[in-house]
Amino acid sequence: MIILLDNFLQTISHYKMLNNGEKIIVAVSGGIDSSVLLNLFLRIQNQFDLQLIVAHLNHGLRQNESDDDEKFVADLCAQNKIIFEAKKINVKDFARKNKFSIEEAGRICRYNFFSHLLTKYNADKIATAHNKNDNAETILMKLIRGCGSFSGIMPVNKKIIRPLINIERAQIETYCHENNISYRIDSSNLNCEYTRNKIRNIILPQILSINPNFIDTISRSAKIISDESNFLNQLALKNIDSNKISVTKLKSLPQVLQKRIIRIIIRDEISSKHINSIIELLDKPNGKKISLPNNITVEKNFDEIMFFYNHNYNFEYELKLNQITFIPQLNKFLLVSDKKNSNCTKIFYCDNINKITVRNYRCGDKIFFKNFGHKKLKNIFNQNKIWPHIRQSIPLLTVNDIVIWIMNTDIITNYDTGNLYFIHTWEDTNDKRCTLAT
């Protein structure tokens, strides 16, 4: 099917997804979408002089079926002489321990796995098989939930590329059958207890029976809305510098910007009803607060509105030197390296690194400053008027169990002997979960 291949190449060209000679990590589950994605990359491999590495995460959710998926992808790579990387993880256990949904836990585990491979192979991009139908389903989910944002899946997000994003699933299925491409069927996709599956298997087919061009229609509409939304975001961002904002300042702005500012600070898909509740809070006495879904609290004090996420749990992630790690509580990637990075966030000195962790603040934590000695973080928080109920959620970078940096601030140890190390952090811009007051 030449049309699909042309569409694939046009998408790559339009969004500048590839450069000649790059190493590409192709995420392959074994399903029809990712199997077609791999086939297309094999067809253009010589044209772009690409080195392909296939990544497969075994979520362990379907027992033998999951293991068979892994074997299928491994055999596919062996047949095509492609590097194959697989990892098996207990996603259910990870979700339970970290209080995530299965879907969210799976996404986080995939990010960490892909990030590890990016570092291991010094790769340039990660390619995933999200298509035009996936985009429409995402937009429908937001509409159904009453979210104020109707943006779809981004074609490019940092190093993640989605070259099938302008191709419909029906085209993928036709291409697959015409080219005799083998693939695995994920039985869990038929389980309509999950919202996305219900939309995919029940709601979307009904809409397509009314308007066969609905996938195109909603994609075009989402693009228009996204462009206008980005313009409003730029205006709103000029009035935001933290997770709190002056009541006087907010009330001086048009209500459309008030609402946009609230959405940007919260970074979660809350309903218009909750947005209006926050607007009403502006005229309430100091000390008043409201609770929102997803453990978000909004409180008015000192002529300010404060947004914070109620963290009632501890978190701790162990990092490896020179390896990228995704920290879900921060919605950020983090890299500690002994190699110079022109875009590094912070630097520090240390004699030898045996252990690196990111964890939340704990009572009694101290940080070292040259000429001042050790200082309690509690005193630093008091000096900076950091509200007591959000301190537990404040992330710290520790090295050898010693606090090095109060993350998201400029407060870092100034110990200046030993080896020089570089810290780099950047955000997962495609994630819409709340990461307030960190």
Side-chain angles (χ1 to χ4, degrees), residues 4 7-8 11-12 17 32-38 40 128-134 161-169 172:
L4 187 140
N7 194 331
F8 180 73
T11 302
I12 288 171
M17 292 181 174
I32 187 169
D33 296 333
S34 60
S35 295
V36 166
L37 178 68
L38 179 58
L40 290 166
T128 68
H130 293 93
N131 58 52
K132 205 168 188 176
N133 287 59
D134 293 322
I161 60 173
R162 301 180 172 98
L164 299 182
I165 200 67
N166 291 327
I167 300 173
E168 293 187 28
R169 186 167 288 121
I172 292 171

Side-chain angles (χ1 to χ4, degrees), residues 50-67:
L50 301 175
Q51 181 179 342
L52 303 179
I53 299 111
V54 165
H56 176 88
L57 185 68
N58 184 337
H59 297 71
L61 295 172
R62 294 174 288 120
Q63 299 178 346
N64 293 340
E65 196 176 328
S66 294
D67 294 335

Side-chain angles (χ1 to χ4, degrees), residues 165-400:
I165 200 67
N166 291 327
I167 300 173
E168 293 187 28
R169 186 167 288 121
Q171 294 174 288
I172 292 171
E173 291 171 352
T174 301
Y175 178 89
C176 181
H177 297 310
E178 286 182 354
N179 290 275
N180 297 314
I181 298 171
S182 300
Y183 63 92
R184 296 278 299 169
I185 295 175
D186 184 345
S187 60
S188 67
N189 287 337
L190 304 176
N191 183 356
C192 290
E193 290 181 8
Y194 298 115
T195 302
R196 182 176 288 275
N197 287 349
K198 190 176 291 183
I199 290 172
R200 176 178 298 172
N201 300 325
I202 299 173
I203 297 174
L204 193 53
Q206 291 293 321
I207 295 174
L208 289 170
S209 71
I210 299 169
N211 177 8
N213 296 318
F214 176 74
I215 302 294
D216 272 335
T217 302
I218 197 169
S219 296
R220 284 196 305 271
S221 298
K223 178 65 168 61
I224 293 169
I225 293 170
S226 178
D227 289 344
E228 294 175 350
S229 178
N230 288 338
F231 175 73
L232 273 178
N233 284 346
Q234 293 307 311
L235 294 178
L237 285 168
K238 293 177 181 179
N239 295 281
I240 301 172
D241 56 14
S242 70
N243 62 305
K244 59 186 178 182
I245 187 168
S246 160
V247 171
T248 304
K249 183 177 183 179
L250 196 59
K251 290 177 73 172
S252 71
L253 299 171
Q255 194 170 91
V256 66
L257 275 182
Q258 292 179 10
K259 293 181 177 181
R260 184 53 58 109
I261 287 168
I262 290 167
R263 287 194 183 280
I264 290 173
I265 293 177
I266 290 180
R267 295 189 71 255
D268 206 2
E269 295 162 354
I270 64 172
S271 69
S272 296
K273 180 182 74 172
H274 294 121
I275 295 288
N276 291 333
S277 297
I278 297 170
I279 298 293
E280 291 170 4
L281 187 64
L282 300 178
D283 295 317
K284 299 287 179 68
N286 281 334
K288 291 291 183 181
K289 58 185 176 182
I290 57 175
S291 297
L292 302 178
N294 299 326
N295 291 323
I296 302 168
T297 296
V298 186
E299 184 172 344
K300 181 182 178 183
N301 257 319
F302 315 116
D303 190 47
E304 289 180 329
I305 293 289
M306 163 75 85
F307 302 77
F308 59 92
Y309 201 8
N310 298 315
H311 290 284
N312 295 317
Y313 55 89
N314 295 324
F315 63 88
E316 182 169 337
Y317 294 90
E318 187 163 344
L319 284 65
K320 293 183 179 178
L321 189 67
N322 297 319
Q323 181 172 310
I324 299 169
T325 302
F326 181 68
I327 310 297
Q329 278 80 2
L330 308 183
N331 186 34
K332 288 184 177 181
F333 294 97
L334 190 145
L335 171 68
V336 178
S337 175
D338 56 5
K339 300 176 179 64
K340 187 174 182 180
N341 188 327
S342 59
N343 296 317
C344 72
T345 307
K346 291 283 183 288
I347 62 170
F348 68 94
Y349 290 86
C350 183
D351 293 328
N352 289 294
I353 290 182
N354 299 313
K355 181 182 178 183
I356 312 170
T357 61
V358 171
R359 63 168 174 82
N360 61 300
Y361 164 73
R362 296 169 189 171
C363 187
D365 277 334
K366 299 177 181 178
I367 189 168
F368 177 81
F369 297 108
K370 189 178 179 182
N371 301 328
F372 291 97
H374 289 91
K375 189 168 185 178
K376 287 186 176 180
L377 267 58
K378 177 182 177 181
N379 295 336
I380 294 174
F381 295 154
N382 287 337
Q383 290 170 5
N384 287 273
K385 296 182 180 179
I386 296 176
W387 299 16
H389 49 245
I390 67 170
R391 293 178 184 180
Q392 186 191 3
S393 68
I394 292 176
L396 308 174
L397 178 70
T398 75
V399 174
N400 303 335

